[in-house]
Amino acid sequence: MKRHSTGEMRVDLTARRLYLSSTASDVSTGIPQVSSKIIIRGDQAKIYAQTKLEYGKDEEGYDQCWMVNTTELPVPSGGKQPNPFQYSESAGECEGNCRESRVGSWLDDSKRLEFFIDDVGRLTGMVLDDTGRDVAAGITISDFSTRASGEEWFDPTAAGWKCKDLKYLPGADHIGEWDLIRAFFPLDLPLGEGEEGRRLFAV
């Protein structure tokens, strides 16, 4: 059974920060809605997260916030974070009547991430294909922009979380191995001989 959700993501490559929110509806008979937010602060070696559940007939709910200490994100050689879209290789044109192209890169030996880019250089979709487990997850992207995000997006105290209780969890020592981190904060991505990089246009 396919599950659908909607969300928003903000990425700051320079400061190595990421904000992600998502909401899923009709998760089960007893849980009509689940929402979550996560802030990854690579510059502080911390993760902040919030999960909200709605359940029951009386609009009962669960609301919990966490903070996790992590190891620092691995630093690419030279210290500058490479653009995750710049050095992906061409995966061919999309099928059917469309005006998109596909580029992709391998996160590891079994996981491949494909980006769909329209004819003016805007990101329109992503697909993560786990060949080892024979499963895939797709995302349709709207309102893509390369404009800088304000500081408030990466600060849980300014993002309107209103956490009543903050729990501290054991450290996440292997954050650099997460698919989400590998996708948006890759390490070195050298170009092959004679290969040109692909860069998204600023919009």
Side-chain angles (χ1 to χ4, degrees):
M1 180 178 180
K2 292 183 178 180
R3 300 293 184 185
H4 299 275
S5 62
T6 60
E8 182 175 9
M9 176 179 285
R10 305 263 175 167
V11 180
D12 181 348
L13 292 178
T14 303
R16 301 160 72 76
R17 304 181 298 184
L18 181 145
Y19 166 87
L20 174 65
S21 67
S22 63
T23 300
S25 300
D26 300 323
V27 177
S28 68
T29 303
I31 303 178
Q33 183 169 291
V34 178
S35 62
S36 63
K37 296 179 182 178
I38 182 170
I39 294 175
I40 298 176
R41 293 293 302 260
D43 56 335
Q44 297 179 356
K46 293 184 183 298
I47 297 175
Y48 301 92
Q50 181 184 39
T51 301
K52 289 184 177 182
L53 304 179
E54 292 182 6
Y55 55 85
K57 297 181 180 180
D58 300 325
E59 296 185 355
E60 297 176 282
Y62 169 84
D63 187 350
Q64 183 61 61
C65 295
W66 292 273
M67 188 189 78
V68 185
N69 290 319
T70 74
T71 54
E72 293 186 3
L73 294 181
V75 178
S77 60
K80 185 178 180 180
Q81 180 66 54
N83 186 325
F85 309 109
Q86 185 174 0
Y87 300 125
S88 300
E89 61 184 7
S90 174
E93 301 299 317
C94 66
E95 299 178 357
N97 183 20
C98 63
R99 300 172 66 185
E100 294 178 326
S101 60
R102 293 187 301 160
V103 294
S105 59
W106 289 91
L107 303 184
D108 57 27
D109 292 340
S110 62
K111 296 176 182 176
R112 178 173 173 81
L113 184 63
E114 288 190 344
F115 308 104
F116 292 80
I117 302 170
D118 68 14
D119 57 350
V120 295
R122 293 174 299 198
L123 187 65
T124 60
M126 300 170 63
V127 173
L128 176 62
D129 186 10
D130 188 336
T131 61
R133 298 170 54 203
D134 195 25
V135 295
I139 301 172
T140 300
I141 298 172
S142 60
D143 301 324
F144 173 80
S145 174
T146 56
R147 291 190 299 269
S149 298
E151 292 292 324
E152 66 275 7
W153 289 99
F154 308 104
D155 180 0
T157 63
W161 288 24
K162 299 179 181 179
C163 297
K164 297 179 180 179
D165 181 30
L166 179 63
K167 290 187 177 180
Y168 297 88
L169 298 181
D173 296 332
H174 302 288
I175 183 174
E177 299 175 8
W178 293 8
D179 293 338
L180 185 64
I181 298 300
R182 286 177 172 176
F184 290 97
F185 300 101
L187 297 180
D188 301 310
L189 296 172
L191 289 172
E193 184 177 354
E195 182 182 1
E196 295 183 357
R198 176 66 177 270
R199 184 184 297 275
L200 297 178
F201 287 93
V203 294

